[in-house]
Amino acid sequence: VLVIVTSDHFVQFFFDNMPAFCVGVVDQADGPHENGFQIDPYRARGHRAFAAGLLEHGLRAGFDLASAEELRLDHSILVPLHFLVPDAALPIVPVYIKGLAQPMPSARRCYRLGRMLRTFIARWPGDERVAIVATGSFSLEVGGPKMGQVDEEWYAEVLSMIREGRAVDLVRRATPKRLIKSGNTGGELLNWIALLGALDAAKPVFLEADRQPPDLRQDAHAYAAWEPTAP
Amino acid sequence: VGADRALNAYRLNRFFYLLHTDAEFLETFRRDANAAIARAALEPDEARAVGQAQVGDLYRAGAHPFLLHGLVRHRLCGVDQASYMAAVRDAAKAGSPRTRAR
């Protein structure tokens, strides 16, 4: 099972109904459903039982999760899947964190969401192997006045906190104000923070900074991998 | 305030959301902007701001930048990256957007 922690880009959700946290409880889902993104069509299987179990566990653990039984996948899910699971052989369970619209959930809450996910996975009775993918930029502005600028200070700080497994510092520093200052999609860092919660703040076994893709937008992000320890 | 007072952020965002996610709506807009605008039930001032691609006014009114930037992504109304950025930067200098929908 692949749990994907991400922020929807106004494809699954709009301001008519915008949850802070949502679990996709589906048998299948496809995309792209956003115009102007050159992404190959992809149809993923869901894992309804796992997702439903996570939803119920979360609600019992004090996380008032929303759920969605029909999903329109966006690039934040499809691009990782395109590279990681090109044959669409793995069932996915998307976990959405509201990171692109204000107000956002707190970093502390997202970290705890990750810890809750860790507990759920540890208790899951199935024999599936579970991996978690989280996606998001550290400093990126789309369509706002700072578009094209990277918040170098924040980017360096986030990279070092992740590299050193300093999750407590990251949670403390990642206030809504600080996230937004880094760019109007800065809230995508909440997905990384939730992942760190699920990993019990482990240090990554691989971390590669990626500063300038050859496109219009200047984007500061990274690629990282962890080998989780058993809870 | 004044000129953009009549612009409703939610309705504008809904319009740009349709351009973002609805391929048929985007195609309609390309063929006949007024037909798409009519379908989206915008108020007259909103329809004018969208039809004339008044990027600065739309930004100030609370159009979400990610959605508003669709004008550039979809190459609509002659808005290119340079003219878009000039308008948004001017609008931002004049004051923050009026809604939380940033």
Side-chain angles (χ1 to χ4, degrees), chain A residues 9 14 16 35 100 102 143 145, chain B residues 10 19-20 64 84 89 100:
Chain A
H9 293 65
F14 178 61
D16 59 340
N35 294 323
L100 290 170
Q102 309 304 317
Chain B
Y10 181 81
L19 286 181
H20 177 48
H64 191 289
Y84 178 93
R89 284 186 177 139
R100 62 181 171 78

Side-chain angles (χ1 to χ4, degrees), chain A residues 9-16 33-37 72 75 98 100-103 142-147 149 180 184-185 216-217, chain B residues 10 13-15 17-24 26 59 64-69 72-74 81 84-85 88-89 92 100-102:
Chain A
H9 293 65
F10 302 101
V11 174
Q12 172 66 26
F13 303 112
F14 178 61
F15 292 113
D16 59 340
H33 294 280
E34 54 198 321
N35 294 323
F37 282 79
R72 294 148 53 88
H75 64 274
K98 182 187 173 195
L100 290 170
Q102 309 304 317
V142 180
K146 291 178 294 191
M147 190 170 188
Q149 300 166 22
I180 286 298
N184 59 11
T185 74
L216 185 65
R217 279 157 278 199
Chain B
Y10 181 81
N13 280 321
R14 193 177 54 191
F15 177 85
Y17 165 74
L18 288 172
L19 286 181
H20 177 48
T21 57
D22 184 333
E24 191 195 323
L26 176 60
Y59 177 79
H64 191 289
F66 181 87
L67 292 170
L68 182 59
H69 190 251
V72 178
R73 286 197 297 276
H74 308 312
Q81 181 69 9
Y84 178 93
M85 288 309 294
V88 163
R89 284 186 177 139
R100 62 181 171 78
R102 285 180 295 151

